[in-house]
Amino acid sequence: MIRVLFVCLGNICRSPMAEGIFQHLVDQAGLSDQIEADSAGTGNWHVGERAHRGTLNVLRRHGIAYDGRARQVTLADLDQADYVVAMDTDNVYDLRYLDRRGRLDSKLHMLLDFAPPGSPPEVPDPFYEGNFEYVFNLVEAGCRGLLDHIRAERGL
Ligand code: 4NP
């Protein structure tokens, strides 16, 4: 199984959205038995909570169900993942701090590095901005590019 772990700050807005969208794309591609998505947050404020209402609503509008609960990322998660995909540079900084021994470097990515040229480098945080539909479009573009990247890299 190829494990893809999406990481944001709170694990209630962006990374659950990415997990839901990416898993949906994987299912549509018929690759569910080869690729699995998960998500976690660098912070612990929302551990155990459902995703933000804005994330759940925008996913539902696009026909995607999501019922995960927030959790905080651990070193074991980083060990087990094949691709660790951050939403912004703060997430990358926090993950590098968690992973002081540098085992993560080769698997750490920024989601929008996989989005088409001209996309912003970071996924803005809708927790503060409330722009869930805009964020959905960015995250979806990144997820499509990420899936293409993994398929090419793994010959799927
Ligand atoms: P997320 O958004 O990282 O996309 O889940 C946030 C959620 C909660 C907080 C910040 C960002 N917070 O400060 O509680």
Side-chain angles (χ1 to χ4, degrees):
M1 203 65 158
I2 299 166
R3 295 191 168 84
V4 181
L5 179 71
F6 295 97
V7 178
C8 65
L9 178 59
N11 193 212
I12 55 170
C13 296
R14 294 165 296 171
S15 64
M17 194 188 292
E19 178 191 347
I21 293 170
F22 187 78
Q23 189 64 56
H24 186 72
L25 294 173
V26 165
D27 294 347
Q28 281 183 331
L31 294 170
S32 322
D33 53 350
Q34 289 164 86
I35 305 176
E36 73 181 7
D38 193 2
S39 68
T42 57
N44 64 2
W45 309 282
H46 297 280
V47 168
E49 293 179 21
R50 290 187 193 285
H52 191 286
R53 180 172 303 276
T55 286
L56 292 175
N57 285 345
V58 78
L59 286 174
R60 195 176 308 117
R61 277 202 295 280
H62 291 269
I64 300 173
Y66 184 81
D67 66 357
R69 299 279 184 152
R71 66 188 188 86
Q72 188 173 25
V73 68
T74 65
L75 261 185
D77 288 321
L78 305 183
D79 270 340
Q80 284 158 17
D82 297 290
Y83 298 87
V84 178
V85 185
M87 301 297 128
D88 63 31
T89 52
D90 285 345
N91 306 150
V92 171
Y93 182 89
D94 289 340
L95 287 167
R96 289 225 166 99
Y97 184 77
L98 179 63
D99 172 55
R100 290 178 200 75
R101 298 205 321 230
R103 57 184 122 181
L104 182 67
D105 279 1
S106 62
K107 39 172 124 163
L108 182 55
H109 307 272
M110 290 260 285
L111 180 63
L112 296 186
D113 285 350
F114 301 103
S119 303
E122 303 184 300
V123 182
D125 197 336
F127 188 72
Y128 304 108
E129 310 281 334
N131 46 352
F132 284 88
E133 191 71 42
Y134 170 69
V135 169
F136 181 95
N137 290 327
L138 284 179
V139 170
E140 185 186 36
C143 284
R144 286 188 186 282
L146 173 63
L147 183 55
D148 288 345
H149 171 83
I150 293 173
R151 293 184 75 160
E153 201 164 73
R154 305 288 177 137
L156 294 174

